[in-house]
Amino acid sequence: DTGVSQDPRHKITKRGQNVTFRCDPISEHNRLYWYRQTLGQGPEFLTYFQNEAQLEKSRLLSDRFSAERPKGSFSTLEIQRTEQGDSAMYLCASSLTEDTQYFGPGTRLTVL
Amino acid sequence: QKEVEQDPGPLSVPEGAIVSLNCTYSNSAFQYFMWYRQYSRKGPELLMYTYSSGNKEDGRFTAQVDKSSKYISLFIRDSQPSDSATYLCAIRRTYKYIFGTGTRLKVLA
């Protein structure tokens, strides 16, 4: 499969715990995006990487959220001290050009 | 005012009907417009993108952009039950893609 992959697909955690998600983009895609999607809403932009550089970060992203893309390939999104409001689908997308994005299947996070 | 507005539906149509899905946007500077389809519990799948006013056709799908009205549309001809999904419009602003809330479509067999 040459699409965007995300791991894990589902994560259940207790409030206050830290979680980390991984995204593997399509090979040679230098652009990588993270989004959050809640029920009945469209994806909401979180952050954008071009190669290893994080070029944009949403103001909605609190200090508890951090994302990395250390070698310009895979990326991780960490949420510290999770809250119930963090429960959502976390989507990763990658692209080679600015015109199109290809999404992964998402990681569904449930915070109890 | 949201940058992209989309009626959430749900929209139910009989099989074979022509479906019209619409979004409005607020900033006339936006230039790139996309439509995504999202099945339940899956990531969005790119259907079409366009950056100019007018129509773009791909099989049963036609994307239409009216920049003077800041209005974008997706038409689905000969709709099939397999088209039942949520359809998301999106615009690109610098590095960001801004999505509408999505319209839930159900095509009845």
Side-chain angles (χ1 to χ4, degrees):
Chain A
D1 186 14
T2 57
V4 178
S5 62
Q6 293 187 244
D7 185 68
R9 295 291 308 276
H10 304 275
K11 178 72 177 178
I12 300 174
T13 191
K14 292 183 179 179
R15 189 175 53 185
Q17 298 294 305
N18 299 343
V19 294
T20 300
F21 309 141
R22 177 179 169 124
C23 170
D24 286 273
I26 294 172
S27 180
E28 298 183 359
H29 278 193
N30 60 341
R31 294 172 167 85
L32 187 145
Y33 309 77
W34 284 100
Y35 291 84
R36 177 172 63 190
Q37 186 176 26
T38 54
L39 198 63
Q41 299 296 316
E44 181 181 42
F45 173 82
L46 293 179
T47 191
Y48 162 67
F49 290 87
Q50 187 162 329
N51 298 310
E52 65 273 13
Q54 188 174 21
L55 296 186
E56 189 159 350
K57 186 174 173 180
S58 170
R59 287 171 292 176
L60 300 172
L61 218 59
S62 75
D63 291 342
R64 296 185 297 107
F65 288 72
S66 62
E68 293 183 342
R69 195 182 182 198
K71 295 184 180 178
S73 56
F74 73 92
S75 175
T76 58
L77 177 69
E78 181 183 16
I79 309 174
Q80 296 183 327
R81 304 181 303 281
T82 52
E83 301 173 356
Q84 287 185 325
D86 297 332
S87 295
M89 174 81 91
Y90 290 84
L91 293 161
C92 175
S94 72
S95 69
L96 194 56
T97 69
E98 292 175 330
D99 295 340
T100 59
Q101 290 185 343
Y102 298 91
F103 281 84
T107 294
R108 183 170 296 280
L109 172 66
T110 301
V111 181
L112 301 176
Chain B
Q1 182 188 9
K2 287 186 177 180
E3 292 182 282
V4 181
E5 300 269 8
Q6 185 175 11
D7 186 336
L11 179 64
S12 292
V13 300
E15 184 176 357
I18 296 174
V19 176
S20 172
L21 303 165
N22 308 295
C23 289
T24 58
Y25 61 94
S26 60
N27 190 333
S28 57
F30 295 147
Q31 293 185 318
Y32 292 88
F33 310 93
M34 282 69 64
W35 284 96
Y36 284 81
R37 177 174 62 196
Q38 187 173 26
Y39 292 112
S40 181
R41 299 186 177 273
K42 304 281 188 183
E45 169 195 11
L46 179 67
L47 282 176
M48 300 184 73
Y49 76 91
T50 183
Y51 56 88
S52 58
S53 281
N55 294 350
K56 181 176 181 180
E57 201 171 307
D58 185 1
R60 296 185 296 112
F61 298 91
T62 299
Q64 187 176 80
V65 176
D66 181 348
K67 288 189 176 180
S68 62
S69 302
K70 291 183 278 188
Y71 198 82
I72 57 176
S73 301
L74 178 72
F75 299 97
I76 307 174
R77 288 184 299 282
D78 187 27
S79 55
Q80 303 295 309
S82 58
D83 294 328
S84 298
T86 295
Y87 289 80
L88 298 151
C89 63
I91 54 163
R92 179 166 72 82
R93 176 162 64 88
T94 60
Y95 305 125
K96 292 174 59 171
Y97 281 50
I98 302 169
F99 286 82
T101 54
T103 299
R104 280 196 298 139
L105 171 67
K106 187 164 187 177
V107 181
L108 305 170

